[in-house]
Amino acid sequence: MNATVEVTGVNGEAVGTIAGMVRLMISSRFDEKVKLATQAYVMGKLTATLPCQQFSASNMPHLEGLKLADPQFNKPSSVDVIMGADVFLSILQAGQVKGHNGIPVAQRSIFGWMVAGRISKQRCTHAHHKAVNLHQDVSIDRTLRLFWEEQELPNSKLWTEEEKGVIEHFNSTVTRSKEGRFIVRLPLDDSKLKLGGSLTAATKRRFQRDANFKQRYVSFMNEYRKLGHMELIPEAETDPDCTQSYYLPHHGIAKEDGLTTKLRVFFDGSRATTSGVALNDILLDAPNVNADLFEALLRFRSYPVVFAADVEKMYRQVLLHSEDTDYQRIVWRDSSDKPIQHFRLLTVTYGLKNSGFLAMSALKKAAEAYEQQYPTATERIKYHTYVDDLTSGAESEEEAIQLIQQINEILHRAGFVLRK
């Protein structure tokens, strides 16, 4: 939902405005029945990674045997949520454990034991501190200014050097299969820390106690395999170098759609491995190459005749190069009385932070091949598509029908199918 809240730091210095507000449900990793419902403001970045650098926890015997809310507390990681005092105090429980010098302290909570406090200078060579607070600005002048700023057409975004590198990587490595489908590579950052083991975390998933949910989940995965979007890994290859492979945990989300309930399986590229690094951590940041949504909606309203469609299974129409598919491993079995099997996902997969860029770039690449033959249809694909939705139009029904035929032809040859 929309919300306008200013975030300020020390001395009242403004550090940004929130992007909106969401209803947030937080649950314990030890007990699914323990849940905390609240509302949260959304920002692009909350604060710097914490702790400032990795340190050893071997000299903290008082933490042994405790079920820690964050077992990787001694490794730098991004902050996902900052809790206000009203919420934070409600999660605390009786129980506190201190070390021989009183720090760091382990405090019991509904999510497990939390660890906080100062560490010795020998373990940390430098540190940085940030303090932020949130308040609602009721100034009429500022509220009106924010309103007009939000209504302004956005300026063209300047890409960072890393984003430019991702574009160059895509253009230099993309190829096409015999059937015309695009084959892409993952833009990996070799300068980042290496991956660790990920198989154990990926095997912990269990079905909900819902027979219908399980049936739809099995059906989804069977279709995934039938369409050739994943392949069984030979038993001899199931134990590769963990720094060159990654097992994606997966879970299903049911969505009510009219009279039916659809289920989609999501693959999690953000789950940390034993080294504290996730697959998404070693992927370079890709630019947003989608059409501007505001401009797309305005343009759609300007045509006397309009048409709309979406690209069926858009991500999965783009193949991943065989040298990168081991980064998209999963484990799966359709029944608890069967052995666990190992698979590779062979297409661009939802849940990796570069997937949207790879799929959208492939779609635009398909259009570029027809710029001379179908210039108008090419322009509509490149600039009238937002994620997997195409919204466009024409001055007459005849022109619209011709454009639809040309767009279908261009995308079909690259394996993309428009529907609806």
Side-chain angles (χ1 to χ4, degrees):
M1 64 184 70
N2 294 328
T4 301
V5 177
E6 184 182 56
V7 180
T8 59
V10 176
N11 200 32
E13 181 181 353
V15 296
T17 303
I18 60 102
M21 185 167 64
V22 297
R23 293 183 178 88
L24 187 65
M25 180 70 74
I26 308 174
S27 61
S28 168
R29 67 190 191 94
F30 301 110
D31 186 353
E32 294 182 353
K33 295 181 181 179
V34 176
K35 296 182 183 296
L36 174 67
T38 185
Q39 290 183 327
Y41 296 109
V42 180
M43 292 193 71
K45 185 177 181 180
L46 297 181
T47 184
T49 55
L50 293 174
C52 59
Q53 65 184 60
Q54 185 169 328
F55 61 90
S56 174
S58 59
N59 293 328
M60 302 179 186
H62 62 294
L63 302 181
E64 293 182 6
L66 298 182
K67 292 183 177 180
L68 300 179
D70 179 14
Q72 306 292 326
F73 72 93
N74 61 323
K75 298 179 180 179
S77 182
S78 59
V79 176
D80 298 317
V81 179
I82 296 178
M83 293 184 178
D86 57 332
V87 177
F88 177 74
L89 294 177
S90 67
I91 73 172
L92 299 182
Q93 294 181 326
Q96 197 176 83
V97 179
K98 299 181 180 179
H100 65 278
N101 58 352
I103 54 176
V105 176
Q107 171 67 51
R108 191 180 180 191
S109 77
I110 62 174
F111 300 125
W113 289 84
M114 304 182 300
V115 181
R118 185 186 301 274
I119 59 174
S120 64
K121 294 182 179 180
Q122 289 78 10
R123 298 188 189 183
C124 188
T125 57
H126 67 279
H128 54 268
H129 306 278
K130 291 183 182 293
V132 298
N133 65 78
L134 282 78
H135 73 274
Q136 291 190 342
D137 191 342
V138 295
S139 166
I140 296 178
D141 177 73
R142 188 178 188 284
T143 301
L144 286 173
R145 178 166 55 83
L146 284 173
F147 172 79
W148 289 115
E149 288 176 354
E150 290 175 355
Q151 303 309 309
E152 290 180 357
L153 289 174
N155 297 324
S156 56
K157 181 181 178 182
L158 297 177
W159 289 328
T160 65
E161 291 302 316
E162 184 169 317
E163 291 171 337
K164 291 178 183 178
V166 172
I167 295 174
E168 293 174 2
H169 177 270
F170 173 85
N171 291 327
S172 63
T173 58
V174 65
T175 56
R176 299 186 76 163
S177 69
K178 294 180 180 179
E179 296 76 24
R181 294 181 185 274
F182 284 91
I183 306 172
V184 298
R185 298 294 305 268
L186 294 177
L188 299 169
D189 188 348
D190 295 331
S191 67
K192 297 288 182 68
L193 295 173
K194 299 297 182 181
L195 293 171
S198 55
L199 177 58
T200 301
T203 57
K204 288 183 177 180
R205 197 214 161 273
R206 291 181 175 87
F207 279 122
Q208 297 180 7
R209 295 180 179 178
D210 183 338
N212 291 329
F213 180 91
K214 177 181 178 181
Q215 183 180 4
R216 293 196 300 271
Y217 205 115
V218 171
S219 177
F220 182 98
M221 297 299 285
N222 286 342
E223 180 197 45
Y224 216 103
R225 188 176 182 183
K226 182 179 179 181
L227 292 175
H229 296 165
M230 70 180 187
E231 67 177 6
L232 182 66
I233 300 175
E235 188 173 350
E237 300 178 24
T238 57
D239 190 24
D241 177 2
C242 66
T243 64
Q244 302 297 318
S245 66
Y246 185 83
Y247 280 87
L248 293 161
H250 51 91
H251 62 279
I253 299 293
K255 179 182 179 182
E256 299 293 337
D257 185 18
L259 299 176
T260 62
T261 301
K262 293 185 177 180
L263 181 136
R264 175 177 291 182
V265 175
F266 290 88
F267 301 93
D268 185 4
S270 297
R271 183 69 63 86
T273 65
T274 55
S275 68
V277 179
L279 177 58
N280 279 341
D281 295 332
I282 65 170
L283 291 172
L284 292 168
D285 291 326
N288 179 8
V289 292
N290 274 296
D292 180 81
L293 180 58
F294 184 72
E295 291 181 3
L297 293 175
L298 283 181
R299 191 184 297 114
F300 183 69
R301 293 170 61 88
S302 69
Y303 297 109
V305 179
V306 296
F307 54 88
D310 66 44
V311 184
E312 183 178 14
K313 298 180 176 65
M314 177 177 171
Y315 287 19
R316 289 159 59 185
Q317 309 310 325
V318 183
L319 303 176
L320 188 65
H321 195 281
S322 59
E323 292 187 20
D324 290 339
T325 54
D326 272 330
Y327 289 107
Q328 294 189 164
R329 290 187 166 212
I330 65 168
V331 289
W332 168 247
R333 61 180 175 184
D334 55 21
S335 177
S336 59
D337 59 0
K338 294 182 180 179
I340 292 176
Q341 293 182 306
H342 299 237
F343 294 88
R344 297 185 187 96
L345 304 184
L346 305 179
T347 65
V348 170
T349 301
Y350 189 86
L352 273 60
K353 71 176 183 180
N354 296 134
S355 295
F357 165 81
L358 293 173
M360 194 66 217
S361 296
L363 194 78
K364 291 189 174 186
K365 200 78 171 177
E368 290 173 1
Y370 291 85
E371 285 182 330
Q372 299 298 321
Q373 185 177 355
Y374 301 134
T376 304
T378 297
E379 183 259 346
R380 301 302 170 83
I381 294 172
K382 292 174 66 176
Y383 302 110
H384 294 207
T385 304
Y386 184 81
V387 190
D388 60 351
D389 292 311
L390 172 69
T391 55
S392 191
E395 296 301 318
S396 66
E397 290 186 19
E398 292 77 13
E399 183 186 355
I401 292 172
Q402 183 181 48
L403 274 174
I404 291 170
Q405 291 172 341
Q406 292 173 356
I407 291 171
N408 273 323
E409 179 184 344
I410 293 171
L411 296 183
H412 181 75
R413 293 185 178 180
F416 296 108
V417 177
L418 292 179
R419 61 180 182 176
K420 300 182 182 179

